[in-house]
Amino acid sequence: MKNSFIRPSESMSQEARNALRVMVILLAVVPIILGYLIYQVVQTPSWQLWTVLGMVSAMPAIEIAALVLIRRGRHEAGIWLTFGAMFVMMILVSALVSGLGLILLVSGITLALLVAVPTLPPRQAGRFIVIGVAAGILTLLVDLFIPIERIPLAGFLTIIYIVLAILLPLFGYTVARQFRDYSLSAKLITAFLAVTIIPILGLAYYNNLTERQNLTNAATQALTTAAQEGASEVDGFIEEGLHDVSTYARLHSLHEYLLLSPAARAGSELEASVKEDLLTIASYDEVFITAVSLFDIHGNHVADTHPAEVGDDHGSETFFTQTVNLQAPFVSPVYIEDGIPTLSFSAPVNDEEGNLVGVLRMRYRAEVLQHLVAEHVGDFSGEEAFAVLLDENQIRLGDSEQPNLVLKSVAPLPAETLARLQTELRLPFGTIEELSTDFSSTHQALENIDTQPVFNAEFHEGENQVEHTVAVRLANQPWVFAFGQNEQVFLAPLQARTRTNAIVGVSIVVLVAAIGYFISQIISRPIVSLTAVAQQIADGNLTLQAEVPSRDEIGVLSKTFNTMAAQLKDTLDGLEQRVADRTKALAASAEVSRRLTMATDPRQLAVTVVEEVQSAFHYYHAHIYFMDETAGDLVMAGGTGEAGAAMLAHGHKIPKGRGLVGRAAETNAPVLVPDVTQAEGWLPNPLLPDTKSEVAVPIASRDQVLGVLDVQQNTVNGLGVEDVTLLQSLASQVAISLQNARTFRRIPRQG
């Protein structure tokens, strides 16, 4: 049942069959689109995507309704229903998804051309194409100028290319198969649009690709410079911090204070001096330095800008153990201390002999990193730029776009990694969802920056735009500085140029379509008119003449056709006249035959024959000869007109074998001479000066020649085969009548 519903029936017209095939193709493609849209909605849900999914979900019901209409013999309504819905959907989708205008315009026009011509009558096909072009233009204008928030093109190009890769070859194959059956106007318009659209699209695609590449390369170069400078600034801050803490660690007051016993330190002048030195160090950056601390060789907290912290044991902490083990300045990773993200710079404190006696630490709020990142973005001249500083676990240490994402990983961390970092106080306590964003593709791109430092990714939740990014590793820490920019910003000149080019291109296509339609009408109208005239002539109206519109090939064709029609009319008129003449001749022949049966005297018979033949067929002259069995001559027995009477009075006769009459008697076969001047052996008669053609037919009974019937005409080719056939029939009747008359004359003598 299902197969019979979608299979063309024998009673369908070719247009209905094509419409049915179009619906079947669309029904096969829609599930692919729906599947892809469902996947997109699951991955990145948005109200725009849900709306698009809802519209596409309605298409199968519309297509089934169209199939029902086609099955009921209303295939035009089915095509209009389906593609009318598609044209409306194009406009709405362009209002929800940015960047689709041009490709939907091209797709709409192409599908309109491919579908209209094979499925609709010529007049409806023209309207359908016009509506398709108008819908495509409106789609482009909506995409270029609508101000509402829309989701980006990314993700939609794939499905559009898939659908076009399926639809265009199938529809193109259908068009190619049916192209020869299209009207001349449709072929010309299709050709005009094809030779216009294909070069425009090719050139537009090449220019767009080249311009996009140039703008992307320029943006990449600028972003690379900004990323390198940003990484250098963070590296510079770290190097400066290490240098400062190392310099401050060389203060004499510090190592002298540490060389005193704990009891001697309390209340000593060195204690006051150390406190003053630490406060002085902290005052160099009152915004971000939260504390400056001094520790002895065992990690005991012996002095601090915050006296309440003195006395704690920090011997096991990373900043202390690393400084002691390395005997060099050390910068810690970002960690949580007293609920505040912190960054520590520490350096060994050595005595005069270079022996390690303690550690000096400068504790910064990690917000200093966010400050550096934001300040660097402010120095960048590009709009909508962002910078992100990431540690080795891809945890944000600074984010110029969304500072609230600091200490959140780019992608969810493994549970064991999260637990370890929280134990090490590298992250605050919380769930994976609370401490991460979900950008898996960005995470993968960051894993490959050593080989591919430039990539497109998303770093920020709630953003719907592609961020072109360059990532650079720092020299002093296993961190990454990523600098990026919204792709639409640096591609704005391309979008503006594309908008202008699209408008120009659409204008050209519309103009070419109008010119093509106009020219197609100019070219096809004379042919259509000529076809109509030919149809009327074929129906029997031979008086019509086609208009000769020009001197070109169409004009020559029209003129030739008129000549052919005139010749055909003359031929048919001549044929009708010949038929009429032949009908009259047959009637006359019948009359001659009737009168021959009544003749009882050979002389009377001869006179009757020549008079009836000359009268019935309007010959120039006719006479009859009977064979003189004794002498073998052909003696004239009857002739028409004065010439016939004169020849009879003089006893005109022709020896057997001489002239046309003698040859007919000798051969017992008709002799036809269309032009007597060209006949060999022809005997001219001065009594018949106007003779131009002549035929001599033997009067014979079986093999015995009884006489000759001779007819002459005063025009060259005035006698033909038809005359020979007719005269032979009469000669046969004369032969019978002649034998009957001779028999009749012998009967009295026997009595």
Side-chain angles (χ1 to χ4, degrees):
M1 183 68 180
K2 293 181 179 178
N3 289 337
S4 63
F5 186 69
I6 63 175
R7 183 182 298 127
S9 63
E10 294 182 358
S11 61
M12 282 184 171
S13 66
Q14 186 60 53
E15 291 176 345
R17 290 169 176 263
N18 292 336
L20 189 65
R21 294 188 183 100
V22 168
M23 290 302 111
V24 172
I25 293 172
L26 292 179
L27 276 174
V29 170
V30 168
I32 300 174
I33 303 175
L34 284 173
Y36 187 83
L37 287 175
I38 292 172
Y39 170 78
Q40 288 291 323
V41 168
V42 171
Q43 293 295 314
T44 54
S46 65
W47 71 267
Q48 295 96 332
L49 270 177
W50 278 108
T51 304
V52 173
L53 179 60
M55 288 190 294
V56 176
S57 299
M59 282 305 299
I62 294 174
E63 291 165 6
I64 291 174
L67 278 173
V68 172
L69 289 172
I70 294 171
R71 277 292 174 187
R72 293 181 177 178
R74 300 178 59 195
H75 73 276
E76 297 97 337
I79 290 295
W80 279 105
L81 172 65
T82 303
F83 285 90
M86 288 182 63
F87 292 152
V88 173
M89 190 181 303
M90 283 169 45
I91 299 170
L92 295 178
V93 169
S94 185
L96 298 172
V97 183
S98 63
L100 285 178
L102 184 60
I103 192 169
L104 287 179
L105 166 66
V106 175
S107 304
I109 293 176
T110 304
L111 289 178
L113 287 171
L114 292 177
V115 171
V117 178
T119 62
L120 297 173
R123 182 166 296 180
Q124 286 197 43
R127 289 198 295 266
F128 186 92
I129 293 172
V130 169
I131 292 174
V133 172
I137 293 173
L138 184 57
T139 299
L140 178 63
L141 295 177
V142 167
D143 180 55
L144 295 177
F145 300 108
I146 194 166
I148 66 174
E149 179 183 356
R150 295 176 292 168
I151 57 177
L153 176 64
F156 274 82
L157 274 180
T158 302
I159 187 61
I160 289 175
Y161 288 148
I162 291 174
V163 171
L164 291 179
I166 296 174
L167 289 180
L168 293 183
L170 290 176
F171 286 151
Y173 174 72
T174 301
V175 170
R177 286 187 60 189
Q178 303 297 327
F179 187 77
R180 64 180 181 180
D181 297 328
Y182 295 168
S183 67
L184 178 61
S185 178
K187 289 179 180 178
L188 290 172
I189 294 174
T190 302
F192 266 95
L193 289 176
V195 299
T196 303
I197 291 175
I198 292 175
I200 288 178
L201 289 181
L203 185 60
Y205 176 77
Y206 174 78
N207 290 338
N208 185 285
L209 188 65
T210 303
E211 183 68 14
R212 175 181 287 270
Q213 189 62 49
N214 292 337
L215 291 173
T216 301
N217 290 342
T220 299
Q221 185 175 357
L223 294 175
T224 300
T225 301
Q228 291 172 345
E229 290 177 353
S232 297
E233 288 180 11
V234 177
D235 274 329
F237 164 73
I238 294 173
E239 290 174 0
E240 185 178 357
L242 293 171
H243 176 268
D244 289 347
V245 73
S246 179
T247 300
Y248 300 146
R250 297 191 188 99
L251 292 173
H252 290 286
S253 59
L254 300 184
H255 72 259
E256 289 176 357
Y257 181 70
L258 291 173
L259 289 175
L260 296 176
S261 64
R265 295 172 188 161
S268 66
E269 292 182 3
L270 280 176
E271 185 178 50
S273 177
V274 167
K275 288 181 179 179
E276 185 178 352
D277 288 340
L278 295 182
L279 288 171
T280 300
I281 295 171
S283 68
Y284 291 149
D285 192 343
E286 295 178 351
V287 177
F288 296 111
I289 295 179
T290 59
V292 180
S293 309
L294 183 64
F295 304 88
D296 65 14
I297 190 65
H298 303 294
N300 295 315
H301 203 160
V302 298
D304 200 293
T305 53
H306 297 284
E309 297 183 6
V310 174
D312 295 338
D313 182 9
H314 294 271
S316 62
E317 292 189 20
T318 302
F319 79 87
F320 183 83
T321 58
Q322 288 293 324
T323 303
V324 171
N325 292 335
L326 296 174
Q327 289 286 300
F330 174 74
V331 59
S332 71
V334 174
Y335 61 96
I336 309 299
E337 185 172 339
D338 298 330
I340 300 174
T342 301
L343 181 69
S344 291
F345 291 90
S346 55
V349 179
N350 299 317
D351 60 15
E352 296 291 346
E353 287 76 23
N355 298 315
L356 181 68
V357 294
V359 172
L360 177 68
R361 181 185 71 171
M362 296 165 52
R363 189 176 64 188
Y364 279 76
R365 283 189 297 146
E367 188 181 345
V368 66
L369 300 175
Q370 170 66 25
H371 173 73
L372 290 171
V373 169
E375 189 177 53
H376 180 66
V377 172
D379 295 335
F380 186 71
S381 60
E383 297 179 3
E384 295 190 38
F386 72 94
V388 177
L389 181 63
L390 305 160
D391 70 4
E392 68 275 16
N393 295 300
Q394 296 186 9
I395 297 170
R396 294 176 178 86
L397 304 178
D399 192 314
S400 65
E401 187 76 17
Q402 295 185 11
N404 60 301
L405 296 180
V406 170
L407 292 186
K408 289 187 178 182
S409 60
V410 171
L413 295 169
E416 61 274 12
T417 302
L418 176 63
R420 175 177 59 80
L421 293 174
Q422 289 175 330
T423 301
E424 296 174 356
L425 301 180
R426 298 280 298 278
L427 284 175
F429 288 100
T431 64
I432 293 176
E433 290 77 13
E434 294 171 339
L435 297 174
S436 65
T437 54
D438 189 12
F439 298 119
S440 300
S441 60
T442 306
H443 163 74
Q444 188 61 44
L446 290 168
E447 291 289 317
N448 300 323
I449 63 172
D450 292 327
T451 57
Q452 194 171 352
V454 182
F455 53 90
N456 288 340
E458 291 182 274
F459 279 90
H460 305 110
E461 294 177 340
E463 293 292 327
N464 289 319
Q465 297 166 356
V466 176
E467 295 168 324
H468 190 64
T469 308
V470 177
V472 177
R473 293 193 184 277
L474 271 66
N476 295 319
Q477 282 286 78
W479 298 347
V480 172
F481 192 95
F483 200 95
Q485 187 178 32
N486 188 323
E487 193 176 47
Q488 290 186 357
V489 172
F490 64 80
L491 291 180
L494 174 63
Q495 294 173 352
R497 190 173 293 109
T498 300
R499 182 182 297 114
T500 302
N501 291 340
I503 294 174
V504 173
V506 169
S507 301
I508 292 174
V509 170
V510 172
L511 179 62
V512 168
I515 294 174
Y517 178 79
F518 178 72
I519 293 178
S520 70
Q521 293 301 307
I522 292 176
I523 295 176
S524 63
R525 189 181 295 115
I527 297 178
V528 172
S529 175
L530 181 61
T531 303
V533 171
Q535 184 62 50
Q536 293 186 59
I537 289 176
D539 292 338
N541 188 357
L542 300 178
T543 61
L544 286 180
Q545 289 283 290
E547 180 184 358
V548 180
S550 60
R551 297 182 180 180
D552 59 8
E553 287 81 356
I554 296 177
V556 173
L557 176 62
S558 300
K559 190 173 182 180
T560 303
F561 181 83
N562 288 338
T563 302
M564 180 190 70
Q567 291 176 346
L568 178 62
K569 183 177 183 303
D570 292 342
T571 300
L572 291 178
D573 289 345
L575 179 61
E576 290 176 356
Q577 183 62 44
R578 285 195 295 273
V579 169
D581 292 344
R582 188 54 54 199
T583 302
K584 182 178 178 181
L586 291 176
S589 176
E591 178 63 20
V592 170
S593 298
R594 185 186 66 81
R595 296 186 64 179
L596 287 177
T597 57
M598 299 174 60
T600 58
D601 180 62
R603 293 286 179 181
Q604 179 188 359
L605 175 65
V607 172
T608 299
V609 169
V610 295
E611 288 181 352
E612 289 295 335
V613 167
Q614 199 277 337
S615 173
F617 304 117
H618 306 290
Y619 292 131
Y620 171 57
H621 182 75
H623 47 205
I624 190 169
Y625 295 86
F626 288 153
M627 177 68 72
D628 183 350
E629 297 179 358
T630 304
D633 295 330
L634 292 166
V635 180
M636 184 175 175
T640 59
E642 295 179 359
M647 286 188 285
L648 283 173
H650 289 84
H652 180 67
K653 60 182 178 179
I654 298 175
K656 187 177 181 180
R658 290 198 60 197
L660 303 185
V661 173
R663 191 191 311 168
E666 185 178 37
T667 60
N668 194 13
V671 177
L672 172 63
V673 178
D675 184 358
V676 294
T677 61
Q678 306 296 323
E680 185 177 348
W682 176 69
L683 298 177
N685 191 326
L687 297 176
L688 300 170
D690 295 330
T691 299
K692 296 293 189 299
S693 56
E694 184 175 351
V695 60
V697 177
I699 301 171
S701 176
R702 297 182 182 177
D703 294 334
Q704 182 183 3
V705 176
L706 304 178
V708 173
L709 176 60
D710 183 70
V711 173
Q712 299 176 25
Q713 193 60 285
N714 56 0
T715 57
V716 176
N717 295 318
L719 297 170
V721 176
E722 293 178 353
D723 296 280
V724 173
T725 303
L726 178 63
L727 294 174
Q728 278 185 306
S729 175
L730 291 175
S732 298
Q733 296 178 45
V734 170
I736 295 172
S737 298
L738 182 60
Q739 286 185 325
N740 291 339
R742 289 177 177 177
T743 302
F744 180 78
R745 289 185 64 185
R746 286 197 295 268
I747 290 175
R749 288 195 298 267
Q750 292 176 355

